[in-house]
Amino acid sequence: MNRNLFFWALTSVLLCLLVWNCTNYSTTASVQAPPTLISITNNGNSNFTIKVRAQNPEFIFQGYRLYQAATESLAQNPNDTNLGTDCLLAQAAIVQPIEYLFEVDPSTNPNTAGVSCRIFATLTPGSYISMRTLGLAVNLANSTSSYRVSLPSNTLIVP
């Protein structure tokens, strides 16, 4: 979790409430748009490249979470949405519509040129993958934060 972003969001809300006496705010969590998976390529040695299209201009955007399962349904609707593998892109304040390249590799090698993020995971050929967008959820009552996930993307079969 990016602590600087959490404290910035918390400070902004508190300033709005205390200093400017804002009364028009929502307690409903923002819904992030799910990404669209375009393709997956096997690069050899348990290394895969996933091409993704996404648009998440909200400041609470954090990154993406990858899910893998034996069936399409389980990849899109896992029993626990916290059990995926994250790719955090919090350094980008505003993410405009863009095509991302994600590298999925269990090794600690540096990113290949042009890759937006490396996901440290092992994919199994024949399994299904899906992704969800991660958004920052801040609870002002107890000063905690967590990730809120979007609806699932489409699925692809790992080659």
Side-chain angles (χ1 to χ4, degrees):
M1 172 80 48
N2 187 336
R3 285 185 171 190
N4 290 337
L5 183 61
F6 167 73
F7 287 119
W8 178 83
L10 182 61
T11 302
S12 298
V13 171
L14 290 176
L15 276 175
C16 181
L17 293 174
L18 298 175
V19 176
W20 295 299
N21 196 20
C22 296
T23 57
N24 297 326
Y25 60 90
S26 174
T27 57
T28 305
S30 175
V31 177
Q32 299 286 301
T36 302
L37 303 181
I38 304 301
S39 65
I40 182 169
T41 306
N42 186 340
N43 301 326
N45 298 328
S46 301
N47 181 309
F48 294 86
T49 302
I50 302 172
K51 186 185 288 188
V52 176
R53 282 198 189 111
Q55 175 182 0
N56 291 285
E58 297 88 356
F59 79 94
I60 63 171
F61 169 77
Q62 296 292 293
Y64 299 97
R65 184 170 285 161
L66 176 71
Y67 300 93
Q68 176 180 212
T71 67
E72 182 177 10
S73 179
L74 284 174
Q76 288 185 313
N77 304 298
N79 293 330
D80 184 354
T81 57
N82 294 316
L83 296 180
T85 307
D86 295 346
C87 176
L88 301 180
L89 297 171
Q91 68 274 12
I94 296 178
V95 179
Q96 295 302 319
I98 193 170
E99 268 191 12
Y100 290 109
L101 283 179
F102 294 107
E103 197 165 46
V104 182
D105 189 349
S107 75
T108 57
N109 295 333
N111 287 352
T112 304
V115 171
S116 303
C117 191
R118 178 177 284 251
I119 301 173
F120 298 102
T122 302
L123 295 181
T124 305
S127 64
Y128 291 81
I129 60 166
S130 176
M131 292 182 96
R132 291 177 184 242
T133 302
L134 298 174
L136 181 64
V138 178
N139 184 339
L140 296 177
N142 61 12
S143 298
T144 60
S145 63
S146 61
Y147 290 132
R148 177 176 168 84
V149 296
S150 70
L151 294 171
S153 70
N154 58 314
T155 60
L156 294 175
I157 299 174
V158 178

